[in-house]
Amino acid sequence: MPNNKHLLIVEDDELVQSLLAAYMQNEGFKVSIASTGKEMLACIDSETIDLVLLDLGLPDEDGLVLARQVRARSSLPIIVVTARKDQKNRLAALKIGADDYLTKPFDPEELSLRVRNILGRADDGDTSTEEALRERTEIFKFQGWVLDAGGHILTGPDGDKVSLTRAEFNLLCALAKAPNRVLSRDYLLDAVSQDADAPTDRLIDVLISRVRKKIEPNPKKPEIITTVVGCGYKFSAQIE
Ligand code: CA
């Protein structure tokens, strides 16, 4: 179905660029293209972009550096699409806040699904009303924080919204839904990742540490998300 979401494809390979643009346009997205990091930043500044598809190997700048620059100033969703298959790059991308990671060659249908997932099922129109309602009413309050699972909003004790990547948000929701229960890294991986070839448990540790930095009064002595040595993590705050 048509939608008004605006994708920015950052890719220097002209063939991949045009195939991807054609596919996504056909899927109903508005598409802009950047071939270099410089063009990408200029486009983000001048247009309203909803999501960036980012190649890591660009002629003028490393995609990871660009992703970090974007993340430093906004929560604009980023999907890294790259030929780099190694775990190090994948972790690095997720660590600096990319929302998802896909290696080339990829199935454009899968990419399109991931894009839609991140942009929110609300626009899809095929989520059942019941399910949508149930998700919408899932609100968790703890230590002054309000986590609105359906609305994908986290509000801090001072009333300010805190931006989380999709993986960070899903992780926090999975924990808050099972307060005072130990959740293993495996379980949490399932909750945050839709990858068949899911990255290692190390990803969970990275995400936990990022979420703690955002919500714990003292991230070095966490009291909301606690570590259960040898087992996993536990949501230890009182849900009101
Ligand atoms: Ca490239």
Side-chain angles (χ1 to χ4, degrees), residues 118-139:
I118 288 174
L119 291 175
R121 291 165 189 283
D123 295 335
D124 258 3
D126 56 4
T127 309
S128 81
T129 316
E130 198 187 330
E131 191 185 338
L133 276 176
R134 195 174 58 234
E135 285 196 355
R136 236 165 253 155
T137 51
E138 273 186 311
I139 293 178

Side-chain angles (χ1 to χ4, degrees), residues 41-104:
L41 294 173
C43 187
I44 289 174
D45 282 341
S46 60
E47 308 257 352
T48 306
I49 302 293
D50 294 301
L51 187 142
V52 177
L53 297 174
L54 178 62
D55 177 32
L56 292 186
L58 295 168
D60 61 338
E61 184 62 282
D62 189 280
L64 289 176
V65 174
L66 291 166
R68 193 178 294 118
Q69 283 172 7
V70 171
R71 187 53 74 245
R73 52 183 184 173
S74 79
S75 56
L76 174 63
I78 301 169
I79 300 182
V80 168
V81 182
T82 177
R84 297 182 197 166
K85 285 191 176 23
D86 59 294
Q87 179 75 359
K88 210 177 93 215
N89 270 296
R90 191 186 185 98
L91 275 180
L94 293 167
K95 200 168 177 177
I96 58 180
D99 295 84
D100 209 342
Y101 191 103
L102 207 56
T103 46
K104 295 175 187 170

